[in-house]
Amino acid sequence: MEPNPVWSEGAYEDTVDVLAEHRDELVYKVWGGDWCKDCRSQLPDFGAALDAAEVPEANVVHHETEKEDDGSKTGPGVEEYGIEYIPTVVVERVPEGTDSASGGEPRARDGEEIARFVEDADVPIAVSLAEEIQAALD
């Protein structure tokens, strides 16, 4: 998930502020694939927003997702998290007693889910998640 180099932080100042405020207490689990046009169009801006908010790399876990002939998705955590459409981003609290995300394959849910973005919305991924995060934590 390479950040978009021309993404404008100033246009999303409130969003970046929310992501930054909670950068050490949340983990972002991202499901997507290079074959997916929605992922290619949406995830670079989301990556840029996370970079602008200085979210630690350890708190962003990207899971490559494949599409089967029947349209179903496969990959790490797909069944555990009920992933049907991509991109999907699940935001969880960092588990108590840890400094950051566990990384690796999500064999079990690590923390409380507080926000989820699935495939598309009327606003960018970062804006959608920041609104949910703010509502859940503030």
Side-chain angles (χ1 to χ4, degrees), residues 25-29 58-61 90-95 101-102:
E25 64 190 87
L26 300 175
V27 58
Y28 297 84
K29 297 185 177 184
N59 287 23
V60 182
V61 182
V90 175
V91 182
E92 296 180 343
R93 290 182 189 269
V94 171
S102 62

Side-chain angles (χ1 to χ4, degrees), residues 29-92:
K29 297 185 177 184
V30 182
W31 284 265
D34 292 339
W35 55 268
C36 170
K37 69 178 180 173
D38 290 337
C39 298
R40 289 192 314 267
S41 69
Q42 296 178 64
L43 290 177
D45 286 353
F46 180 57
L50 294 176
D51 276 2
E54 298 179 0
V55 172
E57 284 186 31
N59 287 23
V60 182
V61 182
H62 187 257
H63 302 289
E64 275 297 319
T65 308
E66 297 298 328
K67 183 177 181 179
E68 299 301 315
D69 291 339
D70 65 1
S72 65
K73 308 302 182 286
T74 58
V78 166
E79 288 186 34
E80 175 71 28
Y81 283 84
I83 306 302
E84 294 182 34
Y85 304 102
I86 60 173
T88 292
V89 181
V90 175
V91 182
E92 296 180 343

